[in-house]
Structures are given as C-alpha cells and as structure tokens.
C-alpha cells in the first residue's frame, strides 16, 4: 500500500513528460511544482505512519460480593464499573533510538475520568541500555507493566492480597534498564528514582511519596522467570485526612520476589512481598501461588493467597483502638476460575474467590470494619480486549 501510494505520483511525473512538449515553460514549471508537492505529501504521510503507533485495551467487568464485607471494591450490589477500564497507548519515534510513549486510562471506578498513567521519553543506546524520563510504572510486581491490561493477565483480577499493598502504580522520574545475556539466562536490570503525589482516600488524605528509589532484577531461563525487587520512599501527608497529619517523614520500603513457570500448557506463578512503614501504618507480609493448565482455548486456574500485618503488637494500647481497627489485617483467599480465549485479542474470564480467616480483624477490608463478617465470597466476570 505504501509503495503504491509513492509510485502513483512517480508514474504521474513520468507520464507528464510525454505531454510537456506541447506546453509552455511556465505551464511545465507549475505542473512540476504540483507533482513535487504531491510527492512530498506522500513521503510525509508515509514517514508519520512509520513513526507512530497506537494501541489500546478494554476491560468490562462485573462483580458482586456475598455480604457487606465486600471484596476488591465490590459489595452486595452487582457493580459493572469498579473494575472496568479503557486505555489508549501511543508512541512516536523521534529517531530510530528515541521515542515518546503515552498511556491514557479511564476507569469506571473514577466515573471514567481520564488519567495519564505513562508519559515518558525513551532512548535506546543500542548497547543494552535504555533510559526513560517522565511518568513511569513502579515496577514492584511481576505484572506491573501489564497492571492495567487485563488481557495480559491469567486472572479476572490479580490477587489483591499482594497487588493492593502499595496504593501507587506510577511515579514521575527516571529509570535505566539494562538487558544482557548471561550464558543461557536473559537478565534485565532496572533502577528508578522519582516522586509521586496521591490521594489515598478520606482516612489518610493526600500523601507525597518523596525520593522513590529502588531496583529490580529479572532472570529468564527457558520456561522459568525469577524476579526480585526493592523500593523505598519517604511519606509525608500533604492534605490531612480523618487521621490528620498521619505521615511525617516516615520511611517505608517494599521488597518482593517472584517465580513463574510457563511451558505453554502448565502455568505456575508465585510472588511474596514484605512492606514496612515507620509509625502506626501497617507492616505486612503477603503472597500467592497460582496454578493453571491450558486446555484448548480454556485456562482453568486455582489461587491461594494470604495477607497479614506483622506489627499488631505496636497497637495494643486501648487508645489505639481506631488505628488497630484500621491497620491490623489478616486474610486468606482461595480462588477458582477460568480464562476463555475467544480470539487472539479477546478473552472472557470468570472467577470465584472465597476470603476468610480474618481473625479478630476486618480482614483488611475497609467496609468490614463495621460489618464484622468472618468471611466473604466475590463473583467476578471479566471481558478483556486489546486492539
């Protein structure tokens, strides 16, 4: 198509030579100028199409919980907006090694207001090093890069026992990625630095994540992938919530490891992480393991996940009653579900998750602080597409 588009004005230019003999010099000049303009326009359009690419994704999701404890933002009323989202990602190559990438995401849970998740300039040094500057993803988890793209995940929703620990998905800053081969092992190292401001809700208000600094390493060998990450930051409350100026230069860190195996039929994924925050906010340990098996277009899976706080003993004073209710967590979740690949870019997923073992806590479910249920079940159906 591109060749045809270019060759058409060229053919017109060649054909015009046979009629030039009967025209004046000024007419020939005007005709050549017109043909040159057509040719330049064709080249310009062709260049833009080569430099620019636009992709997108969509998730339509409905979920309902069995009681007032709720789960993943769902309650007893079927909700079609909580997990639904639409994303558009575009990239424009400034040169063969430098490009601009932006990703806009509109979420049903935010009344479909649009948010810039990615917006960065990337340069590939052609020696394994890539550096990016702008708004970037925080690479805490194995699926961090695909956190918004439901089609790229095996689950209807990633295990919230791990993936909801840090209420931050992106930051403004810079990172450096270095890919190289170590024998038969593909290694990817990534280091990042930046900051972020986020509204964390009515309880804690707006929080400034200062000096976000960390690194991750990924090792791939045949069907195996091992990943480890460590990130730290300093937390400051910028707009007080219900608990007032809750964070005041509190140091925090997140450390995690992950392992996956995928031979095309058997799928196994597991991650474990610890997080620590100075002061009264929860210190946690959490993890999950997922096993799945592809049978034609179906991938049934089961998941076991857990979450628990590790600093409950710091909130034993009766005066800490509210903070104990808010920040002591304990939960175990069992999920069973399946993915059905409708086509190469469409997938339908169904999931049932049973969360229990809350102990004397809310289970880390805000809506359960008052409801005080011992367990909950959430049913989820998700339709995911990429385009």
């Amino acid at each position: 198509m591109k060749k045809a588009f270019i060759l058409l004005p060229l053919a017109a230019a060649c054909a015009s030579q046979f009629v030039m003999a009967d025209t004046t010099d000024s007419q020939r000049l005007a005709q050549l100028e017109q043909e040159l303009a057509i040719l330049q326009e064709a080249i310009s359009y062709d260049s833009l199409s080569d430099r620019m690419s636009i992709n997108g994704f969509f998730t339509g999701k409905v979920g309902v919980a069995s009681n007032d404890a709720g789960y993943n933002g769902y309650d007893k009323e079927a909700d079609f907006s909580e997990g639904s989202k639409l994303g558009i990602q575009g990239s424009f190559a400034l040169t063969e090694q430098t490009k601009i990438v932006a990703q806009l995401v509109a979420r049903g849970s935010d009344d479909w207001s649009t948010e810039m998740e990615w917006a960065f300039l990337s340069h590939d040094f052609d020696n394994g090093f890539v550096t990016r500057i702008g708004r970037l993803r925080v690479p805490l988890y194995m699926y961090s890069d695909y956190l918004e793209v439901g089609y790229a995940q095996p689950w209807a929703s990633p295990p919230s026992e791990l993936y909801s620990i840090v209420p931050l998905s992106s930051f403004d800053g810079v990172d450096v990625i270095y890919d190289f081969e170590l024998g038969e092992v593909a290694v990817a190292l990534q280091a990042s630095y930046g900051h972020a401001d986020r509204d964390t809700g009515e309880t804690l208000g707006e929080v400034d994540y200062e000096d976000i600094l960390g690194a991750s390493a990924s090792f791939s060998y045949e069907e195996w992938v091992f990943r480890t990450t460590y990130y730290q930051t300093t937390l400051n409350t910028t707009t007080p919530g219900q608990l007032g100026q809750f964070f005041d230069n509190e140091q925090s860190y997140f450390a995690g490891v992950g392992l996956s195996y995928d031979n095309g039929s058997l799928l196994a994924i597991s991650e474990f992480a610890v997080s620590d925050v100075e002061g009264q906010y929860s210190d946690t340990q959490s993890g999950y393991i997922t096993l799945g098996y592809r049978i034609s277009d179906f991938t049934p899976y089961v998941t076991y996940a857990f979450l628990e706080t590790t600093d409950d003993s710091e909130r034993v004073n009766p005066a800490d009653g509210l903070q104990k209710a808010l920040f002591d967590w304990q939960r175990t979740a069992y999920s069973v579900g399946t993915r059905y690949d409708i086509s190469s870019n469409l997938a339908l997923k169904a999931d049932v998750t049973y969360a229990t073992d809350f102990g004397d806590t809310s289970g880390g479910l805000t809506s359960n602080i008052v409801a005080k249920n011992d367990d909950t079940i959430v049913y989820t159906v998700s339709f995911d597409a990429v385009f």
Side-chain angles (χ1 to χ4, degrees), residues 284-354:
T284 67
Q285 61 180 10
S286 58
Y288 73 89
I289 181 170
T290 292
L291 297 175
Y293 196 85
R294 296 184 181 87
I295 306 170
S296 186
D297 295 326
F298 288 88
T299 307
Y301 65 84
V302 294
T303 297
Y304 164 82
F306 76 95
L307 162 67
E308 62 182 6
T309 46
T310 56
D311 59 346
D312 294 3
S313 60
E314 297 179 8
R315 293 181 286 272
V316 295
N317 191 319
D320 299 330
L322 176 58
Q323 294 185 358
K324 189 172 182 62
L326 289 172
F327 303 130
D328 284 2
W329 305 335
Q330 179 181 324
R331 186 169 81 230
T332 304
Y334 305 90
S335 301
V336 58
T338 189
R339 170 188 175 123
Y340 171 57
D341 285 286
I342 302 170
S343 66
S344 60
N345 64 335
L346 302 175
L348 182 66
K349 304 172 190 172
D351 180 283
V352 179
T353 294
Y354 173 57

Side-chain angles (χ1 to χ4, degrees), residues 75-219:
D75 55 25
K76 291 196 296 184
E77 299 293 329
D79 191 332
F80 288 84
S81 62
E82 177 61 31
S84 299
K85 67 190 76 170
L86 171 66
I88 300 292
Q89 179 173 314
S91 68
F92 183 82
L94 300 175
T95 69
E96 289 185 357
Q97 295 165 277
T98 306
K99 63 181 179 180
I100 296 173
V101 178
Q103 184 185 88
L104 289 168
V105 179
R107 298 180 179 84
S109 57
D110 294 332
D111 292 328
W112 298 102
S113 60
T114 304
E115 185 174 353
M116 185 72 77
E117 281 292 324
W118 290 2
F120 61 82
L121 185 146
S122 169
H123 183 78
D124 187 341
F125 289 92
D126 269 349
N127 58 1
F129 280 95
V130 174
T131 185
R132 306 182 299 178
I133 185 169
R135 175 157 295 183
L136 307 163
R137 182 73 71 197
V138 185
L140 299 179
Y141 311 112
M142 294 191 76
Y143 282 82
S144 284
D145 285 346
Y146 316 108
L147 203 56
E148 304 292 346
V149 188
Y151 181 84
Q153 306 165 11
W155 320 279
S157 301
S160 63
E161 285 68 30
L162 183 81
Y163 277 75
S164 65
I165 292 301
V166 179
L168 184 69
S169 60
S170 59
F171 70 103
D172 297 329
V174 60
D175 70 5
V176 178
I177 302 169
Y178 180 46
D179 293 321
F180 62 98
E181 301 284 338
L182 190 64
E184 297 182 357
V185 179
V187 182
L189 307 179
Q190 182 174 7
S192 313
Y193 176 78
H195 77 279
D197 298 306
R198 287 294 181 276
D199 183 352
T200 60
E202 296 178 354
T203 304
L204 300 179
E206 293 185 6
V207 176
D208 185 16
Y209 297 75
E210 295 181 353
D211 297 324
I212 299 172
L213 176 64
S216 65
S218 178
F219 305 88

Side-chain angles (χ1 to χ4, degrees), residues 224-262:
W224 295 90
V225 176
F226 172 76
R227 188 176 187 279
T228 183
T229 187
Y230 175 88
Y231 272 81
Q232 63 183 35
T233 185
T234 302
L235 303 176
N236 279 292
T237 299
T238 53
T239 302
Q242 295 170 342
L243 295 181
Q245 202 79 22
F246 190 75
F247 295 115
D248 182 16
N249 281 323
E250 315 288 3
Q251 303 298 310
S252 172
Y253 74 81
F254 175 98
V257 293
L259 180 68
S260 71
Y261 175 85
D262 188 349

